[in-house]
Amino acid sequence: MTTSLLKAPWMKRLIACLAGGVVLAMMVGSQEGSQNDYGYGFRESVLKPRIFVFLLIGVLIFLALTFQGRLVPYVTRPGFWPLVSGGLAVVAGQALMNWNDQIGGGKFTAVANVVADTSGGVLSPVTTAFFAWLAWTAFIVLVLAGGAAIILRLRWLAFAVAAGCVAAAIICFTSHSDVADAARTRGPDHSLGYAAAILGYAVILSAMLATALSKNDVAVGRAALERIAGIRPGLPLVVVGVLLGVLGLTIGVWFSPGHKNLGATDTGSFLNGFASSFSVTYLKWLAWVLLIAAAVLGGAAAYLRQRILGLLAGVIGVAGAVIVLVVLHDISKTGADNNHFDGATGPWQNLGAGGWMTAAAMFLLGAGGVQAALSALRPRQREVALAMTSDLAERPTTGSGGATAIPPASAGLNRGKPSGKEFVRTVAVIAIAAALFYPPTASPFWQQVLVTEIGISMLLAVGLNVVVGWAGLLDLGFIAFYAIGSYTTAYLVGSLPKKPPSWLQLSPLWAIPFAILICLLAGLALGAPTLRLRGDYLAIVTLGFGEIIRIVAVNADSFTKGSQGPSGVPNPVIHIGPIHIQWGLAQLQYWYLLLAIFIVIVLAFRRLENSRLGRSWAAVREDEVAAQAMGINTTQTKLLAFAIGASTSGIAGVFFATQIGSFTPDNFILNNSILIVAYVVFGGMGSLSGAMAGAAMLTWLPRFLQDQVPQQDKLMWIGAVVIAMMIFRPAGLIPAKRRRIEMHGLDGTPRSEPRAVPISEGI
């Protein structure tokens, strides 16, 4: 009886979930082991009352897995996943992020302890209650009530929770402002924990409105967003731009964030008589005029589908963004020229986030106007296409056998249904705005991470995606091309013991085409002997190639400087006539250089993906024998995959060598090759945007976790994230269209087994 009970599937599931709860208890917390007592960390994590909390989590997971058939109709209802996302944002804001930079460790708990010890009527009763008990109590009540509203489909409860979210966000903002005012004498505060909590409550609010107003039984979140973006192209960008602009001109800091903490108007008053009259005028009132003009024109163009208004909004938006940059340069240079205010030594220093937020807002408003103007041409084109389709439908043609040919079903052109392309364009524009205007607001640490780790990892992932994702060739030695590009650069700029001829010694930027060419040849050298290898055998050979390159770099001491590696690689320089640009003064210079290179590569690879060569890669990936039978030159196709994929590593190598200045063969070990493969798989094999997202996520996560968990536990948490990703999104963060079809079918229904589809689908 006992044996049969233990073999029961539900019992095995329960034991696994409880064991997972024990593992989670050991992962969560700051309990670390001791050199004298190896069991100390285990006892502190498990043999304490806290273990029952984690066992309860295991029981809840067990119930969710056991009754998932009954739970699925509820978790797919409108508002459920936004409720979960908003709840996670509030938890992150109140548990992980800072609430005041001048109090203790800055976390919510540290601020709450200081608030509890504060007396004498310095803080309001609402603030004291918020940090004592109200913050978490309100959050738990709103999430539980929101879940009940979704499950029971109670509109009145959904509206009540929405009102509660508004009240919670207001209390959160006022409580943070109260504490910031009380601690202002200690210095300015730039914490964002309260902003994350407010954003979370805004997402929960949208979830409740979706629950109350939607008549669907199944959530259609992305479809709804695509419909909104398709009905009024450009309007979402205008809305986001207005919100960002208002925040930038009201609460955003423009100048001296570490001392004066001045907004737009205060900066104009403070620098009056020092900065140019145009900058002072802009800061006092002209910024609002340009923002309102771009918002009105962009909104009207999107709503009325007026091409002229959209173009005017685009011009004002672009001009407004340029003006913001001019003003920021002027006020920062003025501060540096006047006694090096706050230690500034040159332009673009001592600036806050407000100016960059305003520049991003004007960029989005202009882009929204341009998008609306371009969409104004499409309705007429659609009407012409529909008229031609109707004419064809009324005049059936005759086939070769005399039978009447019926027009294909696709001739209807999905009348009235947005294609989703406008939504993709909207997301892409917002991503470009973030890439342009967010980095200057980040701390120096995160700027360095963004340049030296995230940016280069994304370049490498894009290149490997060609080989692994598009052509299906498993390459575990991809880091070798990265090394070849780096050493080629070091040789051409004269940083190796073996110097190039004087006529060949180049500036770092001129080394890019040579690095690309050398990596192309190296890709061909790797691909030619491995044409008949597949799967594991190909992986082993490429792994050996990567190790050979690294060992050669170590042993060729007279040429590569051996294990010490080259040093003194100069920074890039552009000197053409009056134009003189010297990199190396700040990390942001490298970021914008990398961004320009990245945009060119992404555009080229996007065209390549949809070309005949891209379709040939897809055919080889799916079935090489069938592709060869159809007339595809598989030898040429595979060689081009190796060569083109390696070319981006050459560019990354040039950038890495010139930015870091010195490197060693240890920068190109096997683990780094495996990491690049993990980036591609995690983001979505075959997806260009997925490869970039995967590289950014897995590069950012270790840096984020180093301040949140013990250093020894960091890899454990990263592994947990990867495992969860493979379980819940096996196709990756942003799966390729074809991969998504294999997983879910053409109708979007999940399938337990992938099914074969024609090559033309999703490519």
Side-chain angles (χ1 to χ4, degrees), residues 11-43:
M11 179 58 70
K12 295 180 180 178
R13 190 182 305 119
L14 176 60
I15 294 173
C17 291
L18 293 177
V22 174
V23 173
L24 189 62
M26 291 187 289
M27 292 175 63
V28 176
S30 58
Q31 302 84 8
E32 298 185 27
S34 169
Q35 294 292 338
N36 300 323
D37 185 0
Y38 293 106
Y40 174 78
F42 177 80
R43 292 195 302 272

Side-chain angles (χ1 to χ4, degrees), residues 456-468 473-485 519 522-523 526 539 541-547 549 605 641-652 668-670 672-677 679-680:
I456 292 179
S457 297
M458 291 172 66
L459 266 180
L460 294 173
V462 167
L464 185 60
N465 183 63
V466 174
V467 182
V468 176
L473 305 172
L474 183 55
D475 187 353
L476 293 183
F478 195 72
I479 199 69
F481 304 116
Y482 184 36
I484 291 172
C519 287
L526 172 62
V541 171
T542 55
L543 184 152
F545 175 77
E547 284 298 287
I549 296 298
F605 276 33
F642 277 111
I644 294 175
S647 64
T648 59
S649 288
I651 299 175
F668 314 107
I669 58 177
L670 173 63
N672 291 337
S673 276
I674 298 175
L675 269 178
I676 303 172
V677 176
Y679 298 155
V680 176

Side-chain angles (χ1 to χ4, degrees), residues 554-579:
V554 173
N555 294 334
D557 190 276
S558 61
F559 185 82
T560 64
K561 211 173 181 180
S563 59
Q564 296 181 0
S567 59
V569 180
N571 303 124
V573 177
I574 293 179
H575 194 181
I576 303 175
I579 300 176

Side-chain angles (χ1 to χ4, degrees), residues 79-301:
F80 178 82
W81 289 111
L83 175 66
V84 174
S85 302
L88 292 176
V90 176
V91 170
Q94 296 184 178
L96 301 178
M97 302 181 68
N98 284 4
W99 278 68
N100 195 285
D101 297 333
Q102 310 302 327
I103 297 178
K107 305 290 185 183
F108 183 88
T109 303
V111 176
N113 292 333
V114 174
V115 170
D117 296 336
T118 304
S119 59
V122 177
L123 301 174
S124 67
V126 175
T127 300
T128 304
F130 176 81
F131 284 98
W133 58 271
L134 183 58
W136 288 109
T137 302
F139 166 70
I140 293 172
V141 169
L142 289 174
V143 169
L144 293 178
I150 293 173
I151 294 173
L152 302 177
R153 303 300 298 268
L154 299 176
R155 295 185 62 192
W156 64 270
L157 183 57
F159 282 121
V161 174
C165 289
V166 175
I170 294 174
I171 294 174
C172 179
F173 179 79
T174 56
S175 299
H176 171 267
S177 300
D178 197 11
V179 172
D181 291 338
R184 194 173 299 278
T185 55
R186 305 183 186 182
D189 172 51
H190 302 292
S191 58
L192 294 175
Y194 78 100
I198 292 174
L199 178 62
Y201 283 121
V203 175
I204 297 176
L205 170 65
S206 66
M208 293 300 98
L209 293 179
T211 301
L213 301 177
S214 177
K215 297 180 181 179
N216 299 323
D217 293 330
V218 178
V220 287
R222 171 156 182 168
L225 293 175
E226 290 178 352
R227 190 175 299 112
I228 293 173
I231 293 175
R232 290 290 182 268
L235 188 59
L237 292 176
V238 172
V239 172
V240 175
V242 169
L243 293 176
L244 202 59
V246 171
L247 292 175
L249 292 175
T250 53
I251 66 175
V253 177
W254 279 65
F255 185 69
S256 184
H259 182 204
K260 293 291 185 179
N261 212 37
L262 300 176
T265 305
D266 294 335
T267 300
S269 301
F270 180 74
L271 296 178
N272 191 11
F274 298 95
S276 66
S277 58
F278 176 79
S279 297
V280 174
T281 302
Y282 177 85
L283 292 169
K284 287 186 174 181
W285 59 269
L286 183 58
W288 283 104
V289 172
L290 292 176
L291 179 68
I292 293 172
V296 171
L297 290 174

Side-chain angles (χ1 to χ4, degrees), residues 617-635:
W617 283 334
V620 170
R621 181 188 67 230
E622 296 302 321
D623 192 327
E624 185 176 346
V625 175
Q628 191 171 13
M630 290 189 300
I632 294 176
N633 188 338
T634 56
T635 299

